[in-house]
Amino acid sequence: MKNKEQDIRAYFNKLDRSFFMDRFKEMASFDEAIPIGHEQTISQPSLVLEMTLALEPETDSRVLEIGTGSGFQTALLAEFASQVYTVERIEELYHRAKERLDESGFSNISFKLDDGSMGWEENAPYDRIMVTAAASAIPEELLNQLAFGGKMIIPVGSSFSQELKLIEKDENGKIHSTVLNQVRFVPLKGKYE
């Protein structure tokens, strides 16, 4: 794992965050969440890195990402997974992220414009699931779409207090939950607001 962690850190450090921003580019180097419009943000870089390391994408992982947003997190996942399926509910963000990621040369990303809280049933199960907005509870649909032996990172809680959780489904389908951090994400819109 050590080499994978070093590889992820190295790629993260050369990933130009400003490329994923249309406004406030001068703030790209700040370690904080920055607005990207539509009441959404590009996440704090250190948190994006922490979440990616905790998810531990493998070269053969099929990853579901809920909340494409700017595409910054998507790029990091796509570099280290075999396939990324990403869902965004805001049409303008969906199109901009797709443009950026296509321009970056990724050919292993599938995009969907939809309510991400329901996952993406057609391509399930997923080895890894990354949720980049806070749910009031862990969506049952996402748990069902997580493969045996799979991992999910998800912020859970109210708009004021959220726990970043690592959810693991063992080979018997039993769910294990670990709190990684206290965080503040925009709410996951849809069924689990």
Side-chain angles (χ1 to χ4, degrees), residues 8-191:
I8 290 174
R9 286 182 184 279
Y11 182 74
F12 171 81
N13 287 331
K14 70 177 193 181
L15 196 57
D16 180 8
R17 188 180 185 221
S18 70
F19 175 72
F20 298 91
M21 300 166 69
D22 292 321
R23 305 178 313 166
F24 307 117
K25 283 180 181 280
E26 69 281 2
M27 298 174 70
S29 63
F30 296 5
D31 191 29
E32 58 188 61
I34 309 285
I36 57 170
H38 309 279
E39 300 176 0
Q40 303 298 300
T41 60
I42 182 169
S43 294
Q44 179 180 345
S46 60
L47 191 53
V48 170
L49 178 61
E50 177 189 344
M51 290 168 67
T52 306
L53 290 172
L55 194 67
E56 296 183 328
E58 301 290 341
T59 50
D60 61 350
S61 293
R62 299 172 73 253
V63 179
L64 173 64
E65 179 189 39
I66 305 302
T68 316
S70 66
F72 181 59
Q73 174 75 78
T74 320
L76 194 55
L77 292 170
E79 183 69 18
F80 296 97
S82 84
Q83 185 70 32
V84 174
Y85 299 88
T86 187
V87 185
E88 174 57 56
R89 67 178 185 84
I90 299 169
E91 190 168 1
E92 188 180 325
L93 295 181
Y94 165 87
H95 288 298
R96 281 295 291 129
K98 188 173 187 321
E99 278 173 28
R100 289 185 187 112
L101 293 160
D102 287 346
E103 186 183 324
S104 297
F106 288 105
S107 59
N108 63 335
I109 304 172
S110 300
F111 299 85
K112 184 176 186 182
L113 182 64
D114 205 354
D115 172 8
S117 66
M118 307 303 286
W120 193 341
E121 183 72 47
E122 302 93 297
N123 299 299
Y126 302 97
D127 306 299
R128 303 287 187 268
I129 299 177
M130 175 72 81
V131 185
T132 63
S136 57
I138 299 168
E140 200 63 38
E141 292 82 355
L142 299 184
L143 286 175
N144 292 339
Q145 292 173 36
L146 186 62
F148 293 115
K151 296 180 182 189
M152 171 166 55
I153 299 286
I154 182 169
V156 181
S158 69
S159 56
F160 305 106
S161 172
Q162 302 157 13
E163 293 179 331
L164 184 64
K165 294 189 174 188
L166 168 63
I167 307 299
E168 297 176 273
K169 184 187 278 190
D170 69 21
E171 297 300 339
N172 300 314
K174 189 169 184 327
I175 300 295
H176 307 271
S177 176
T178 308
V179 175
L180 301 177
N181 210 334
Q182 299 298 314
V183 292
R184 189 149 183 204
F185 276 82
V186 296
L188 180 67
K189 300 290 187 182
K191 184 176 174 183

